[in-house]
Amino acid sequence: MKAYFSRRYRISASHRLHSEALSPEENRAVFGKCNNPHGHGHNYKIEATVGGEVDANTGMVINMVTLDSVMKEQVLDRFDHKNLNDDPLFAEQVSTTENFCIAVYELLQKQLLPAILKNVRIEETENNFFEYSGK
């Protein structure tokens, strides 16, 4: 039987939406106030959903302690109270929440085996949220 388990985490991080491929005017036109040279911050909510067979001995898809540990090591410690633009993952790509969502997925995916990471969802504001389910 395949089942799914989702867990939510919270971090605060800042970023500046800016592309070196665009002129200053184009950056302002595309990213508006999010192109502020000093950046801006969000209180992100990050959800990870893991699926797989329910272990006959534990009754779980994945131990919540394992998921918490991997999330802390791979994501929370790395990004909480940091500027996303300072992370090497965003050295050559814009630190949009779409790209952040993909990065979180890729950081977690191999660390959770034998469970399978179904998707990552990041809520940036109460109106903006993003999901990624892999390629």
Side-chain angles (χ1 to χ4, degrees), residues 11-36:
I11 67 167
S12 295
S14 65
H15 66 159
R16 177 187 185 206
L17 300 184
H18 183 84
S19 172
E20 294 299 326
L22 302 175
S23 70
E25 295 77 21
E26 290 170 318
N27 270 294
R28 280 191 295 279
V30 171
F31 300 119
K33 66 182 181 179
C34 297
N35 184 245
N36 178 342

Side-chain angles (χ1 to χ4, degrees), residues 92-122:
E92 296 184 24
Q93 64 178 337
V94 181
S95 62
T96 61
T97 305
E98 292 93 325
N99 284 331
F100 184 37
C101 196
I102 293 167
V104 168
Y105 182 95
E106 290 176 352
L107 288 167
L108 295 176
Q109 155 182 33
K110 294 178 184 151
Q111 303 296 319
L112 298 174
L113 298 173
I116 304 298
L117 183 60
K118 182 176 185 280
N119 74 303
V120 167
R121 179 181 188 270
I122 298 180

Side-chain angles (χ1 to χ4, degrees), residues 34-113:
C34 297
N35 184 245
N36 178 342
H38 303 290
H40 65 282
H42 296 285
N43 293 313
Y44 293 103
K45 294 176 186 164
I46 302 173
E47 292 178 14
T49 299
V50 179
E53 295 299 317
V54 175
D55 183 278
N57 295 319
T58 66
M60 296 184 282
V61 171
I62 189 170
N63 189 318
M64 182 171 48
V65 173
T66 302
L67 181 57
D68 285 351
S69 175
V70 170
M71 181 63 85
K72 181 179 182 329
E73 178 184 301
Q74 297 295 316
V75 178
L76 305 180
D77 289 347
R78 183 171 184 165
F79 298 113
D80 193 26
H81 289 88
K82 305 280 182 10
N83 183 325
L84 299 180
N85 299 85
D86 293 338
D87 191 278
L89 287 173
F90 299 105
E92 296 184 24
Q93 64 178 337
V94 181
S95 62
T96 61
T97 305
E98 292 93 325
N99 284 331
F100 184 37
C101 196
I102 293 167
V104 168
Y105 182 95
E106 290 176 352
L107 288 167
L108 295 176
Q109 155 182 33
K110 294 178 184 151
Q111 303 296 319
L112 298 174
L113 298 173

